Amino acid sequence: MLVSATEMLKKAKEGHYAVGQFNINNLEWTKSILQTAQELNSPVILGVSEGAGKYMTGFNTVSAMVKAMDADLGITVPVALHLDHGTYDACYKCIKAGFTSIMFDGSHYAIDENIAKTKELVAVAHQLGLSIEAEVGAIGGEEDGVVGMGECADPDECKQIADLGVDMLAAGIGNIHGKYPENWAGLSFETLDAIQQKTGVMPLVLHGGTGIPDDMIKKAISLGVAKINVNTECQLYFQEAVRKYIEAGKDLEGKGFDPRKLLAPGCEGIKEIVKIKMNLFGSVGKA
Ligand code: 13P
């Protein structure tokens, strides 16, 4: 059931658990994540970066595929189709394409410009029933060719953005997209605590969910994180499973070259990691 992310995140924040955002790249990814959410009776957010949107030939294709798949699979758990790290233009494109949720990432603008653009998009999104995520303080690492160093957000700026009426707020707390480097300092719980004190009931978003130790995830949830984004880890589980299939020579046996057979282990890999994350985040049975 396609919905905005507003209700599921409000419930998650109140219930002290987090909803996973899993990024999608193609049909196999989407199907594996939707089937797992349904099996575990968990709400879920499908994240689409601009790069992944382009790869899938455009946001209209993505929206049509997700809606049709949701119906054909008979998905009854709440599913939000969400633009990840959107530019101003991409937000409008996704609104038009029928997404149910958008993220406007204005973190690279000066705070005044971030506020002005976020405010405008909040009004448009809410008028059409979409949820909207904003960002303060850049998330580190590389995503779609943009490399951020990872900074801690200013809690006062977080409050300014939260007061615009966004449905969820991504705030940098030392988190990084992709694999964490050996010398990573860990999440700044001091910053997270200060942000939650200022923003109250606002569901907070933790980007860069791949590779964050379980105890840090649990602590982040206890300090107000209600949405956690995972992308790289699904890619790694998919890659590892497909690699094993090919290395075992299974693609050379019988009809093992059939793409449906070749990609099946990868899909199982995605399902496995999504299950692990949904259990860790506490969203199982919360649909
Ligand atoms: P990872 O790729 O590190 O899991 O981060 C995902 C993310 O934050 C998407 O916005």
Side-chain angles (χ1 to χ4, degrees):
M1 187 183 37
L2 270 177
V3 294
S4 86
T6 310
E7 270 311 301
M8 64 170 88
L9 293 180
K10 209 171 147 231
K11 272 173 71 181
K13 175 96 182 189
E14 283 165 10
H16 306 288
Y17 61 92
V19 178
Q21 173 192 305
F22 301 96
N23 286 47
I24 57 171
N25 291 289
N26 58 20
L27 181 144
E28 280 76 16
W29 244 258
T30 313
K31 177 175 151 184
S32 305
I33 296 164
L34 286 179
Q35 286 177 329
T36 307
Q38 184 69 23
E39 188 189 331
L40 299 189
N41 196 31
S42 168
V44 73
I45 298 170
L46 301 177
V48 182
S49 69
E50 291 199 52
K54 237 184 235 164
Y55 175 78
M56 290 183 269
T57 72
F59 295 128
N60 290 313
T61 305
V62 177
S63 178
M65 174 184 73
V66 170
K67 278 182 190 159
M69 205 184 279
D70 184 73
D72 281 349
L73 289 175
I75 302 294
T76 55
V77 298
V79 177
L81 175 58
H82 182 74
L83 169 65
D84 190 27
H85 290 285
T87 57
Y88 180 82
D89 288 345
C91 283
Y92 277 105
K93 280 188 190 155
C94 286
I95 290 169
K96 248 180 102 183
F99 276 48
T100 61
S101 190
I102 51 170
M103 172 185 189
F104 170 59
D105 181 357
S107 61
H108 49 284
Y109 291 115
I111 186 68
D112 288 346
E113 191 163 0
N114 190 358
I115 288 174
K117 288 192 161 69
T118 301
K119 190 173 174 183
E120 175 192 316
L121 285 161
V122 166
V124 177
H126 284 175
Q127 200 190 4
L128 296 166
L130 281 79
S131 47
I132 175 165
E133 173 178 347
E135 178 170 326
V136 181
I139 315 290
E142 188 263 337
E143 191 155 80
D144 283 351
V146 181
V147 182
M149 289 309 287
E151 57 182 66
C152 282
D154 174 346
D156 288 315
E157 290 186 358
C158 289
K159 177 162 172 48
Q160 281 179 279
I161 295 274
D163 285 348
L164 301 174
V166 297
D167 302 278
M168 54 200 126
L169 180 69
I173 54 166
N175 40 335
I176 298 174
H177 289 125
K179 292 181 183 173
Y180 282 85
E182 295 265 317
N183 59 353
W184 178 51
L187 297 176
S188 170
F189 292 114
E190 220 175 63
T191 309
L192 181 57
D193 193 26
I195 293 168
Q196 134 130 315
Q197 306 251 354
K198 295 261 177 190
T199 57
V201 295
M202 170 69 54
L204 300 174
V205 183
L206 182 61
H207 282 249
T210 294
I212 297 179
D214 291 3
D215 57 333
M216 285 196 198
I217 292 281
K218 286 192 173 144
K219 186 153 186 200
I221 293 172
S222 78
L223 291 170
V225 164
K227 171 175 178 274
I228 302 175
N229 294 5
V230 178
N231 183 19
T232 307
E233 225 157 349
C234 289
Q235 300 181 0
L236 293 171
Y237 269 64
F238 181 88
Q239 172 240 345
E240 186 63 28
V242 174
R243 164 188 285 269
K244 274 195 190 137
Y245 179 86
I246 292 173
E247 280 184 350
K250 293 197 179 150
D251 57 322
L252 302 172
E253 292 167 10
K255 285 235 177 184
F257 57 83
D258 180 334
R260 283 175 263 167
K261 294 205 166 105
L262 186 67
L263 300 179
C267 292
E268 289 309 311
I270 295 173
K271 287 181 183 170
E272 185 188 339
I273 186 64
V274 171
K275 273 185 193 166
I276 291 171
K277 295 296 174 186
M278 285 179 166
N279 275 296
L280 174 64
F281 301 165
S283 70
V284 174
K286 298 290 186 353

